[in-house]
Amino acid sequence: MKRTCFCTAGILLGALLSGCDGTSDTPLQGEKKLPRQEIALGAIKAEQMVPVQLDGRQRLLLASERRGLLLLDWGGDTLAAQAGNLEQLAAQEQADGSVLVAAYSDAQAQISLYRIRQPSSGEGPAIQYLGSRSDLPPQSALCFSRQGNHTQLFAIGEDGLGHEYLIKPGIRQWALIEVRSLYFGEQVNACAVDVITQRLLISQPPLGVISLNADAEKDEERKLLISTAQLGEDFGGLWVEPATNHMWLAAGDQLQRYDLQAADAGPQWRIHIAQAHNPVSLALLDGSLLVLDNDRDALLYFDASPPLSGLREAPSGTGVVAARIPARAQTQPVVSAGDAADDPAIWVNPEAPENSLIFGTDKKRGLNVYDLSGRLVQHFAVGRVNNVDIRPITHPRYRALAAASNRTTPGVDLFAIDRSGRVEHLGLRSVSLQDPYGLCLYRNGNDLLAWVSDKVGALHQMKIQVPEDGQNWQLHQSARLDVGSQVEGCVVDDENARLFFGEEDLGVWRLDLDAFDAGGARPQLVAEADEENLVADVEGLGLYRAGDSGYLVVSSQGNDSYALYSRDGNEFIGNFRLGPNIHAGIDASSETDGLAVTSANLGAEYPQGLLVVQDGRNRMPDAAQNFKLVSWQDIREALALPDTNEP
């Protein structure tokens, strides 16, 4: 790969001292450097070099077109080899002292996984084949990321299409499970992950160095970290120091180090190479800068003493997350693309709990009904229904009613669950609201009431009356509660006559409904969005009822977690997130809007109840949004909650 540094004649002298970006160098940094040592690799056509620690010893991994995967010591001697034809590789050190390797072969059109370990017998290192993914186009960059307890691999093709894979260990074969696709455009030549900030760094000469979130459950937030105008037209060899997370690049005739916290200020330190070299990989080691020269098929050692820097600390995140819990199942994706799935509700079948149903809104299209396996069993194309809630009723034909706010024709849709478990649409009743948004139901004696929020900032109480034939049901507004800003999520504790609602920017409010009906109550802020336990936006709310006790569950959308409070909302219990279930092929969840929870025993998977949450980013692979099903038993164990099997 030819590297060129373009400078105008008017600044040629300055360029010799400071490079093409015009920043000032000390004489040591500006002088042309020759390698103090050159180690020939024997015409192996080495394409990439990665430094690793294997059982505490410093080693080098090489991708060779002629000899495959090579493990070398720092003197260039081969310690282990895996025959093949390789163009790209990535490596990640493991807790047990081994090294996980991903390597791409153009001849086989596949990415293979290997594990390198030092046998206890004292023999040389051993390379073990783990598995592969085939039928891939030419790849130009590979890099690993560690997220929670799982390992991800980013693979970017020469066509600019990238993929994130989750590494799934297996007894016989390991697998690469696709998490998401990423498009970058052509001419990507390297990637790395800043483990402190969990940012994926991409070297792409037409643009520069690009930074984006490595976590698939976050917005990409792409940023141009360093522009081509700063680097010149030819750069690559991107490598990140594990200890300090400084980034190294080869740019033109320079080897440069950047402080990732101030990369736009230009290189923090650099040296100029005196002779024509083609550095495709570089790494810092004990005061030496080691470079793989692709043209010479050699390792070059340069004397280098960049300024010392302290270890970086991870940036303080929002919210305290206690655990990552995998979902047991997930629903089929909604039909609509984009931000579409929104709010779930659970109907508990009193005679056959394993045949219970999950209602989920597709806020661009209608209402979906799923069984506990996540299979879609009914769909009602009734318009832009936003929130849904369910209550059992005493009725000659129906077991329960579900109400949903409808934003297409401002109103409330009513659905009935009959004695066989089938769902029937009873029709829509219009309301005099500008934009019906959140909705939750309330049983007060024999009365069924709905609280409906208007997106402009008020909650309206409405009474639902259903005759025996179910056809001419009535909806009458009975009360209004003004609030300061937008409300969507709400839930009512029927037994204690308490309404909880989330003011998205402020937190969760509680209203004593008996006192409100008597004309003497105002809401109390019981769970403030404090950017630690609960992070705005405050979205879905659900009540886990266990006898006289239980929990209030809140979607803390700002940090992709769920906050757990005592049933009255006064005491914070803990946070948890949903992590991937790699064995079931279910991704994590993020940006959750609505949620629903029950303490009912729904069978072997959900003996202590079920939590259903909307997933704002459905991965493994990319798909339209859906809902995740979580066993309350897993939540209880992860948060060390008291055991209870009370309904």
Side-chain angles (χ1 to χ4, degrees), residues 129-175:
Y129 171 77
L130 300 175
S132 61
R133 189 177 179 104
S134 302
D135 299 322
L136 298 176
Q139 301 291 299
S140 60
L142 301 176
C143 52
F144 278 117
S145 171
R146 185 176 283 112
Q147 299 173 28
N149 297 323
H150 303 286
T151 294
Q152 275 83 357
L153 176 70
F154 291 96
I156 304 171
E158 291 181 0
D159 57 2
L161 183 61
H163 295 277
E164 179 182 352
Y165 299 105
L166 179 68
I167 306 300
K168 179 183 178 181
I171 298 175
R172 296 183 179 178
Q173 291 271 313
W174 289 33

Coordinates of all heavy atoms in Angstrom, one line a residue, residues 129-175:
Y129 N -8.6 -25.1 16.1 CA -9.7 -24.6 15.2 C -11.0 -24.7 16.0 O -11.3 -25.8 16.6 CB -9.7 -25.4 13.9 CG -10.9 -25.1 13.1 CD1 -11.0 -24.0 12.3 CD2 -12.0 -26.0 13.1 CE1 -12.2 -23.7 11.5 CE2 -13.1 -25.8 12.3 CZ -13.2 -24.6 11.5 OH -14.3 -24.4 10.8
L130 N -11.8 -23.7 16.0 CA -13.1 -23.7 16.7 C -14.3 -23.7 15.8 O -15.3 -24.3 16.2 CB -13.2 -22.4 17.6 CG -12.1 -22.2 18.6 CD1 -12.2 -20.9 19.3 CD2 -12.1 -23.4 19.6
G131 N -14.3 -23.0 14.7 CA -15.4 -23.0 13.8 C -15.2 -21.9 12.8 O -14.2 -21.2 12.7
S132 N -16.2 -21.7 11.9 CA -16.1 -20.7 10.8 C -17.4 -20.3 10.3 O -18.5 -20.9 10.6 CB -15.3 -21.3 9.6 OG -15.9 -22.4 9.1
R133 N -17.4 -19.2 9.5 CA -18.6 -18.7 8.8 C -18.1 -18.5 7.3 O -17.2 -17.8 7.1 CB -19.1 -17.4 9.4 CG -20.5 -17.0 8.8 CD -21.0 -15.7 9.4 NE -22.2 -15.3 8.8 CZ -23.4 -15.4 9.4 NH1 -23.5 -16.0 10.6 NH2 -24.5 -15.0 8.8
S134 N -18.9 -19.2 6.4 CA -18.4 -19.3 5.0 C -19.2 -18.4 4.1 O -20.2 -17.7 4.5 CB -18.4 -20.7 4.6 OG -17.6 -21.5 5.4
D135 N -18.8 -18.4 2.8 CA -19.5 -17.7 1.7 C -19.6 -16.2 2.0 O -20.6 -15.6 1.8 CB -21.0 -18.3 1.5 CG -21.0 -19.8 1.2 OD1 -20.1 -20.2 0.4 OD2 -21.8 -20.5 1.7
L136 N -18.4 -15.7 2.4 CA -18.4 -14.3 2.7 C -17.6 -13.6 1.6 O -16.7 -14.1 1.0 CB -17.6 -14.0 4.0 CG -18.3 -14.6 5.3 CD1 -17.4 -14.4 6.5 CD2 -19.6 -14.0 5.5
P137 N -18.0 -12.3 1.3 CA -17.2 -11.5 0.3 C -15.9 -11.1 0.9 O -15.6 -11.3 2.1 CB -18.1 -10.3 0.1 CG -18.9 -10.2 1.4 CD -19.1 -11.5 1.8
P138 N -15.0 -10.6 0.0 CA -13.6 -10.2 0.6 C -13.8 -9.2 1.7 O -14.6 -8.3 1.7 CB -13.0 -9.5 -0.7 CG -13.6 -10.2 -1.8 CD -15.1 -10.4 -1.4
Q139 N -13.0 -9.4 2.8 CA -13.1 -8.6 4.0 C -11.8 -7.7 4.1 O -10.7 -8.2 3.7 CB -13.1 -9.5 5.2 CG -14.3 -10.5 5.3 CD -15.6 -9.7 5.4 OE1 -15.9 -9.0 6.4 NE2 -16.5 -9.9 4.5
S140 N -12.0 -6.5 4.6 CA -10.9 -5.6 4.7 C -10.5 -5.2 6.1 O -9.5 -4.6 6.3 CB -11.2 -4.3 3.9 OG -12.4 -3.7 4.4
A141 N -11.3 -5.6 7.1 CA -11.0 -5.3 8.5 C -11.8 -6.2 9.4 O -13.0 -6.5 9.2 CB -11.3 -3.8 8.8
L142 N -11.1 -6.7 10.5 CA -11.7 -7.5 11.5 C -11.2 -6.9 12.9 O -10.1 -6.4 13.0 CB -11.2 -8.9 11.5 CG -11.5 -9.8 10.2 CD1 -10.9 -11.1 10.4 CD2 -13.0 -9.9 10.0
C143 N -12.2 -6.8 13.9 CA -11.8 -6.4 15.2 C -12.8 -7.0 16.2 O -14.0 -7.1 15.9 CB -11.6 -4.9 15.3 SG -13.0 -4.0 14.8
F144 N -12.3 -7.3 17.4 CA -13.1 -7.9 18.5 C -13.6 -6.8 19.4 O -13.0 -5.8 19.6 CB -12.3 -8.9 19.3 CG -12.3 -10.3 18.7 CD1 -11.0 -10.8 18.3 CD2 -13.4 -11.0 18.5 CE1 -11.0 -12.1 17.8 CE2 -13.4 -12.3 18.0 CZ -12.1 -12.9 17.6
S145 N -14.7 -7.1 20.1 CA -15.3 -6.3 21.1 C -15.8 -7.2 22.2 O -16.3 -8.3 21.9 CB -16.4 -5.4 20.6 OG -17.1 -4.7 21.6
R146 N -15.6 -6.8 23.5 CA -16.2 -7.5 24.6 C -17.3 -6.7 25.2 O -17.1 -5.6 25.6 CB -15.1 -7.8 25.6 CG -15.6 -8.7 26.8 CD -14.5 -9.1 27.7 NE -13.7 -10.2 27.2 CZ -12.4 -10.0 26.8 NH1 -11.9 -8.8 27.0 NH2 -11.7 -11.0 26.4
Q147 N -18.5 -7.2 25.2 CA -19.7 -6.5 25.8 C -20.4 -7.4 26.8 O -20.9 -8.4 26.5 CB -20.7 -6.2 24.6 CG -20.1 -5.2 23.6 CD -21.0 -5.0 22.4 OE1 -22.2 -5.1 22.5 NE2 -20.4 -4.7 21.2
G148 N -20.3 -7.0 28.1 CA -20.8 -7.8 29.1 C -20.0 -9.1 29.2 O -18.7 -9.1 29.2
N149 N -20.6 -10.2 29.2 CA -20.0 -11.5 29.3 C -19.8 -12.1 27.9 O -19.5 -13.3 27.8 CB -20.8 -12.5 30.1 CG -20.8 -12.0 31.6 OD1 -19.9 -11.5 32.1 ND2 -22.0 -12.2 32.2
H150 N -20.0 -11.4 26.8 CA -20.0 -11.9 25.5 C -19.0 -11.2 24.6 O -18.6 -10.1 24.8 CB -21.4 -11.8 24.9 CG -22.5 -12.4 25.6 ND1 -22.7 -13.8 25.7 CD2 -23.5 -11.9 26.4 CE1 -23.7 -14.1 26.5 NE2 -24.2 -12.9 27.0
T151 N -18.5 -12.0 23.6 CA -17.6 -11.4 22.6 C -18.2 -11.2 21.3 O -19.0 -12.1 20.8 CB -16.4 -12.4 22.5 OG1 -15.7 -12.5 23.7 CG2 -15.4 -12.0 21.4
Q152 N -18.0 -10.1 20.7 CA -18.5 -9.7 19.4 C -17.3 -9.5 18.4 O -16.2 -9.1 18.9 CB -19.3 -8.4 19.4 CG -20.7 -8.6 19.8 CD -21.0 -8.7 21.3 OE1 -20.0 -8.7 22.1 NE2 -22.2 -8.8 21.7
L153 N -17.6 -9.8 17.2 CA -16.6 -9.6 16.1 C -17.2 -8.7 15.1 O -18.3 -8.9 14.6 CB -16.2 -10.9 15.4 CG -15.2 -10.8 14.3 CD1 -13.8 -10.4 14.7 CD2 -15.2 -12.1 13.5
F154 N -16.5 -7.6 14.7 CA -16.8 -6.7 13.6 C -16.0 -7.1 12.4 O -14.8 -7.3 12.5 CB -16.6 -5.3 14.0 CG -17.5 -4.7 15.1 CD1 -17.0 -4.7 16.4 CD2 -18.7 -4.2 14.8 CE1 -17.9 -4.2 17.4 CE2 -19.6 -3.8 15.7 CZ -19.1 -3.7 17.1
A155 N -16.7 -7.3 11.3 CA -16.1 -7.7 10.1 C -16.6 -6.8 9.0 O -17.8 -6.7 8.8 CB -16.4 -9.2 9.7
I156 N -15.7 -6.1 8.3 CA -16.1 -5.1 7.3 C -15.5 -5.5 5.9 O -14.3 -5.8 5.8 CB -15.5 -3.7 7.7 CG1 -16.0 -3.3 9.1 CG2 -16.0 -2.7 6.6 CD1 -15.4 -2.1 9.6
G157 N -16.4 -5.6 4.9 CA -16.1 -6.1 3.6 C -15.5 -5.0 2.8 O -15.6 -3.8 3.0
E158 N -14.8 -5.4 1.7 CA -14.3 -4.4 0.7 C -15.4 -3.6 0.1 O -15.1 -2.6 -0.5 CB -13.4 -5.2 -0.3 CG -12.2 -5.8 0.2 CD -11.3 -6.5 -0.8 OE1 -11.8 -6.5 -2.0 OE2 -10.3 -7.0 -0.5
D159 N -16.6 -4.2 0.1 CA -17.8 -3.4 -0.5 C -18.3 -2.4 0.5 O -19.3 -1.7 0.1 CB -18.9 -4.4 -0.9 CG -19.3 -5.3 0.3 OD1 -18.8 -5.1 1.4 OD2 -20.2 -6.1 0.0
G160 N -17.7 -2.3 1.7 CA -18.2 -1.3 2.6 C -19.3 -1.8 3.6 O -19.7 -1.0 4.5
L161 N -19.8 -3.0 3.3 CA -20.8 -3.5 4.2 C -20.2 -4.3 5.4 O -19.4 -5.2 5.2 CB -21.7 -4.5 3.4 CG -22.9 -5.0 4.2 CD1 -23.8 -3.9 4.7 CD2 -23.7 -6.0 3.3
G162 N -20.5 -3.8 6.6 CA -20.0 -4.5 7.8 C -21.0 -5.3 8.5 O -22.2 -5.1 8.3
H163 N -20.6 -6.2 9.3 CA -21.5 -7.0 10.1 C -20.9 -7.2 11.5 O -19.7 -7.3 11.7 CB -21.7 -8.4 9.5 CG -22.3 -8.4 8.1 ND1 -23.7 -8.4 8.0 CD2 -21.8 -8.4 6.9 CE1 -24.0 -8.4 6.7 NE2 -22.9 -8.4 6.0
E164 N -21.8 -7.2 12.5 CA -21.4 -7.5 13.8 C -21.9 -8.9 14.1 O -23.0 -9.2 13.9 CB -22.0 -6.5 14.8 CG -21.6 -6.8 16.3 CD -22.2 -5.9 17.3 OE1 -22.8 -4.9 16.9 OE2 -22.1 -6.2 18.5
Y165 N -21.0 -9.8 14.6 CA -21.3 -11.1 14.9 C -21.1 -11.4 16.4 O -20.1 -10.9 17.0 CB -20.4 -12.1 14.2 CG -20.5 -12.1 12.7 CD1 -19.5 -11.5 11.9 CD2 -21.6 -12.6 12.0 CE1 -19.6 -11.4 10.5 CE2 -21.7 -12.5 10.6 CZ -20.7 -11.9 9.9 OH -20.8 -11.8 8.5
L166 N -22.0 -12.2 17.0 CA -21.8 -12.6 18.4 C -21.1 -14.0 18.3 O -21.6 -14.9 17.6 CB -23.2 -12.7 19.1 CG -23.2 -13.2 20.5 CD1 -22.6 -12.2 21.4 CD2 -24.6 -13.5 21.0
I167 N -20.1 -14.1 19.1 CA -19.4 -15.4 19.2 C -20.1 -16.4 20.1 O -20.2 -16.1 21.3 CB -17.9 -15.2 19.6 CG1 -17.2 -14.2 18.8 CG2 -17.2 -16.6 19.6 CD1 -17.1 -14.5 17.3
K168 N -20.6 -17.5 19.6 CA -21.3 -18.5 20.4 C -20.4 -19.7 20.5 O -20.2 -20.5 19.6 CB -22.6 -18.8 19.6 CG -23.4 -19.9 20.4 CD -24.7 -20.3 19.6 CE -25.4 -21.4 20.3 NZ -26.6 -21.8 19.6
P169 N -19.9 -19.9 21.8 CA -19.1 -21.1 22.0 C -20.0 -22.4 21.9 O -21.2 -22.4 22.1 CB -18.6 -21.0 23.4 CG -18.7 -19.5 23.7 CD -19.9 -19.0 22.9
G170 N -19.3 -23.5 21.4 CA -20.0 -24.7 21.3 C -19.1 -25.9 21.7 O -17.9 -25.7 21.8
I171 N -19.7 -27.0 21.9 CA -18.9 -28.2 22.3 C -18.1 -28.7 21.1 O -16.9 -29.0 21.2 CB -19.9 -29.3 22.8 CG1 -20.6 -28.9 24.1 CG2 -19.1 -30.6 23.1 CD1 -21.6 -29.8 24.6
R172 N -18.7 -28.8 19.9 CA -18.0 -29.3 18.7 C -17.6 -28.1 17.8 O -16.5 -28.1 17.3 CB -18.9 -30.2 17.9 CG -19.2 -31.5 18.7 CD -20.1 -32.4 17.8 NE -20.4 -33.7 18.5 CZ -21.1 -34.6 17.9 NH1 -21.6 -34.5 16.7 NH2 -21.4 -35.7 18.6
Q173 N -18.5 -27.2 17.6 CA -18.2 -26.0 16.8 C -18.6 -24.7 17.4 O -19.7 -24.7 18.0 CB -18.9 -26.2 15.4 CG -18.4 -27.3 14.6 CD -17.3 -26.9 13.6 OE1 -17.4 -25.9 13.0 NE2 -16.2 -27.7 13.6
W174 N -17.8 -23.7 17.3 CA -18.2 -22.4 17.7 C -18.9 -21.7 16.4 O -18.6 -22.1 15.3 CB -17.1 -21.5 18.1 CG -16.5 -21.9 19.4 CD1 -16.4 -23.2 19.9 CD2 -15.9 -21.1 20.4 NE1 -15.8 -23.2 21.2 CE2 -15.4 -21.9 21.5 CE3 -15.6 -19.7 20.5 CZ2 -14.8 -21.4 22.6 CZ3 -14.9 -19.2 21.6 CH2 -14.6 -20.1 22.6
A175 N -19.8 -20.7 16.7 CA -20.5 -20.1 15.6 C -20.4 -18.6 15.7 O -20.2 -18.0 16.8 CB -22.0 -20.5 15.7

